[in-house]
Amino acid sequence: MSAEVEIRPAVEDDWPGIWRALEPAFRAGETYTYPRDITEDDARRAWLEAPGARVLVAVGAVDDDRKVLGTAKYLPNHPGAGAHVANASFVVGPAGAGRGIGRMLGAAVLAAARADGYRAMQFNAVVETNERAVHLWQSLGFEILATAPEAFDHPRHGLVGLHIMFRRL
């Protein structure tokens, strides 16, 4: 599986593929706090131009062509005295579903953040109903520190909690 998929830093030409991965997740409104009607330009600014962000892509074969299967970004969770803790976001697009792309991106981001000198990683808003993500992060060593009750307005489940998850690097 990993021989077919390359994880690398994103380049400008990757944006159309990144957007193809991000847009369905953002529009569904089930896993991210971004507005469901976010414009492509606003999404691009939020994903690629966040201060201090490093963006990775998972690229692999789809129908005899290499495409962006997923993307991740990591950046300081807070500026200044909190900049030694990273935060990260991940999206696997429909073409990458069920191929282990989320796990590969997770491992790559953890290694890159460690190499960049981060001491820990914290996720501030993992939707509690996103059980696949919660399980993945726990399997990669994250623990749930707390859950903010009813902090996320899920389009199908109504008000649900947001987990704060943490792991030392």
Side-chain angles (χ1 to χ4, degrees):
M1 174 175 5
S2 61
E4 303 170 12
V5 177
E6 175 190 12
I7 308 289
R8 62 167 172 73
V11 296
E12 190 70 26
D13 289 344
D14 289 325
W15 175 251
I18 292 170
W19 179 236
R20 277 193 300 278
L22 295 177
E23 186 178 21
F26 290 178
R27 299 282 180 249
E30 295 184 356
T31 56
Y32 276 97
T33 58
Y34 291 108
R36 291 174 74 183
D37 62 351
I38 192 169
T39 67
E40 182 177 351
D41 286 342
D42 286 345
R44 181 187 181 99
R45 278 190 291 281
W47 201 261
L48 295 181
E49 299 171 17
R54 296 182 140 220
V55 179
L56 301 178
V57 290
V59 179
V62 177
D63 300 327
D64 297 325
D65 195 10
R66 291 187 58 79
K67 297 188 189 288
V68 172
L69 304 173
T71 183
K73 71 172 179 174
Y74 68 97
L75 64 161
N77 194 43
H78 293 286
H84 62 286
V85 176
N87 180 274
S89 300
F90 302 82
V91 173
V92 175
R99 296 177 64 176
I101 303 301
R103 179 171 297 282
M104 284 186 263
L105 281 167
V109 164
L110 289 169
R114 186 180 306 109
D116 285 348
Y118 287 101
R119 307 264 325 248
M121 185 166 288
Q122 179 176 317
F123 301 148
N124 300 318
V126 180
V127 180
E128 70 181 350
T129 55
N130 189 354
E131 294 172 357
R132 289 180 62 185
V134 172
H135 175 74
L136 173 60
W137 303 136
Q138 288 176 322
S139 76
L140 290 174
F142 285 83
E143 63 180 299
I144 297 170
L145 297 180
T147 303
E150 299 184 353
F152 186 82
D153 191 1
H154 194 285
R156 289 184 299 122
H157 302 294
L159 297 177
V160 299
L162 286 176
H163 295 316
I164 299 166
M165 300 185 77
F166 180 86
R167 135 173 207 169
R168 293 186 196 289
L169 298 176

